[in-house]
């Protein structure tokens, strides 16, 4: 257990009674072997029934996120690291973008040019298989279906940054994009858009759950930040740890978080 992270079961119930919602990553946080686990699905349903909004903030693409936003009890998905929001409104799935159409069109050409350079210069680099559904970023696979060494991952990051892109490394992909958006700005945007509330006025009342190095800004921002247990695999790469770590990994870890939040609401 890292010195700055506490076991999730030690989180005081009093700190959880005022929780107003849950923000969560998807891959290896809700999912196990690429699928949202039964435990996580039950936890999402229980949170929904309790009236607690759950918003997923992910590096996955817009196209991949459609069935998650449409077919689960998740209230919204913010995809492509803060660039695209998907949510149900009046029985219809709505898609909104952080950037206007002209900006997206210009950036698309720059993204593809950088992708071509990465594939040419980094041995073994391949585009993520979900790339066809991407609108505002590119993703290089490092652990989902292909494997890149730590050195190759850093080379990809360096090439993205040299092209003026933001670059983050998730548990499966290296994502790169143009623009000032990120997971935190996406969370602020969707809470305002969906709920009409200012997330910055409620920072201590939202739980954030994640699993990887690209969750560090969110871990730093939210006092009730939680890493599922498989976050430990990135121990040597983390500079910011969450406040808490679950005992269980992946979807089972998310379920552990949900149980404690829901139990706190009925205690005391």
């Amino acid at each position: 257990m890292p010195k700055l992270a506490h076991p999730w079961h030690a989180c005081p119930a009093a700190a959880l009674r005022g929780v107003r919602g849950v923000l969560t990553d998807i891959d290896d946080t809700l999912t196990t072997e690429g699928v949202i686990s039964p435990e996580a699905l039950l936890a999402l349903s229980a949170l929904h029934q309790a009236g607690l909004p759950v918003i997923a903030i992910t590096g996955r693409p817009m196209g991949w996120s459609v069935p998650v936003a449409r077919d689960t009890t998740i209230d919204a998905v913010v995809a492509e690291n803060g660039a695209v929001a998907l949510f149900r409104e009046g029985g219809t799935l709505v898609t909104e973008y952080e950037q206007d159409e002209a900006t997206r069109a210009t950036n698309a050409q720059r993204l593809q040019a950088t992708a071509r350079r990465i594939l040419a210069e980094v041995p073994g680099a391949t585009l993520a298989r979900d790339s066809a559904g991407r609108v505002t970023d590119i993703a290089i696979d490092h652990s989902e279906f292909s494997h890149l060494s730590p050195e190759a991952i850093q080379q990809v990051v360096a090439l993205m940054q040299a092209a003026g892109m933001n670059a983050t490394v998730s548990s499966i992909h290296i994502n790169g994009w143009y623009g000032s958006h990120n997971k935190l700005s996406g969370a602020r945007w969707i809470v305002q858009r969906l709920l009409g509330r200012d997330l910055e006025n409620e920072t201590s009342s939202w739980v954030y759950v994640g699993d990887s190095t690209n969750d560090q800004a969110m871990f730093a921002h939210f006092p009730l930040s939680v890493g599922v247990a498989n976050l430990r695999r990135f121990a040597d790469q983390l500079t910011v740890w969450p406040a808490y770590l679950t005992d269980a990994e992946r979807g089972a870890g998310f379920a552990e978080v949900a149980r404690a939040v829901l139990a706190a609401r009925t205690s005391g």
Side-chain angles (χ1 to χ4, degrees):
M1 182 70 65
K3 291 181 180 179
L4 297 181
H6 303 284
W8 173 242
H9 59 75
C11 182
L16 300 179
R17 288 193 190 107
V19 166
R20 302 191 69 177
V22 177
L23 302 166
T24 181
D25 182 52
I26 295 179
D27 284 299
D28 291 322
T29 301
L30 293 178
T31 67
T32 303
E33 300 297 326
V35 178
I36 299 180
S37 70
E39 303 102 316
L41 285 171
L42 287 172
L44 290 169
S45 179
L47 290 165
H48 178 73
Q49 291 175 16
L52 283 174
V54 178
I55 297 170
I57 314 288
T58 180
R60 284 288 193 175
M62 183 271 288
W64 184 96
S65 301
V66 166
V68 179
R70 183 189 61 212
D71 302 333
T72 73
T73 58
I74 291 173
D75 292 83
V77 178
V78 179
E80 301 186 22
N81 287 293
V84 190
L86 303 95
F87 53 93
R88 296 176 299 276
E89 191 170 71
T92 301
L93 185 65
V94 176
T95 303
E96 295 185 357
Y97 298 93
E98 192 272 342
Q99 297 171 331
D100 62 36
E101 186 175 358
T103 300
R104 298 198 305 273
T106 298
N107 286 343
Q109 298 179 30
R110 302 167 70 196
L111 289 165
Q112 295 312 309
T114 304
R116 288 192 293 270
R117 182 179 177 189
I118 291 169
L119 298 182
E121 295 185 18
V122 181
T126 59
L127 290 173
R129 291 191 188 180
D130 63 13
S131 292
R134 293 188 177 276
V135 181
T136 65
D137 74 349
I138 57 174
I140 303 298
D141 190 345
H142 71 74
S143 290
E144 188 175 25
F145 300 104
S146 301
H147 177 75
L148 289 180
S149 67
E151 294 76 18
I153 291 172
Q154 288 308 307
Q155 186 180 358
V156 172
V157 169
L159 286 170
M160 288 178 172
Q161 292 175 337
M165 301 172 73
N166 296 288
T168 62
V169 182
S170 75
S171 61
I172 55 173
H173 296 160
I174 309 154
N175 297 92
W177 68 93
Y178 293 101
S180 59
H181 56 274
N182 53 35
K183 283 191 167 188
L184 181 55
S185 69
R188 291 171 177 147
W189 169 33
I190 195 61
V191 169
Q192 180 62 49
R193 175 66 179 86
L194 198 66
L195 305 174
R197 305 197 319 239
D198 185 347
L199 183 61
E200 290 311 294
N201 292 333
E202 303 179 1
T203 299
S204 62
S205 301
W206 284 76
V207 175
Y208 180 76
V209 193
D211 74 290
S212 188
T213 55
N214 69 337
D215 292 307
Q216 291 180 96
M218 300 293 272
F219 291 156
H221 194 77
F222 292 92
L224 291 174
S225 60
V226 190
V228 288
N230 43 294
L231 178 69
R232 292 187 179 93
R233 65 183 278 209
F234 299 106
D236 61 346
Q237 301 170 44
L238 290 171
T239 56
V240 178
W241 284 85
Y244 300 95
L245 279 173
T246 62
D247 293 327
E249 296 189 347
R250 298 178 171 83
F254 180 85
E256 188 180 325
V257 173
R259 284 194 299 272
V261 170
L262 293 170
R265 290 167 65 86
T266 58
S267 68

